[in-house]
């Protein structure tokens, strides 16, 4: 599990998402996760299946799972 608290008080977490294969997939996942309260940055990389999320506080994994599901993909867990 990768979670770190940055000096500015933000939290960075890396998740594994299965099924992403292109830039459109990255955008769909990033768009849904960015709607979660407190999220300030999302970077999805289809080639690795990793999504890096920066937020003001640790996120509820079920909220992330629901967002990824809404985008049409599956959250495999934390990277």
């Amino acid at each position: 599990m990768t979670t770190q608290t940055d000096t500015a008080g933000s939290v960075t977490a890396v998740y594994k998402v299965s099924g992403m294969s292109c830039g459109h997939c990255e955008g769909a996942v990033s768009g849904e996760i960015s709607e979660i309260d407190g999220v300030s940055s999302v970077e999805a990389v289809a080639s690795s299946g990793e999504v890096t999320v920066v937020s003001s506080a640790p996120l509820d994994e079920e909220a992330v799972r629901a967002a990824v599901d809404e985008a049409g993909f599956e959250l495999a867990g934390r990277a």
Side-chain angles (χ1 to χ4, degrees):
M1 175 169 91
T2 303
T3 302
Q4 76 183 53
T5 302
D6 300 329
T7 54
S10 61
V11 177
T12 302
V14 181
Y15 299 93
K16 292 293 282 183
V17 174
S18 60
M20 292 190 300
S21 61
C22 65
H24 181 267
C25 300
E26 294 170 346
V29 170
S30 295
E32 290 296 334
I33 293 175
S34 68
E35 295 292 319
I36 299 171
D37 285 342
V39 171
S40 58
S41 170
V42 181
E43 180 185 10
V45 180
S47 61
S48 66
E50 291 189 344
V51 180
T52 303
V53 182
V54 178
S55 56
S56 58
L59 297 176
D60 175 46
E61 190 164 322
E62 286 308 308
V64 177
R65 185 175 307 281
V68 170
D69 184 61
E70 183 67 26
F73 300 94
E74 182 178 343
L75 180 67
R78 298 273 183 113

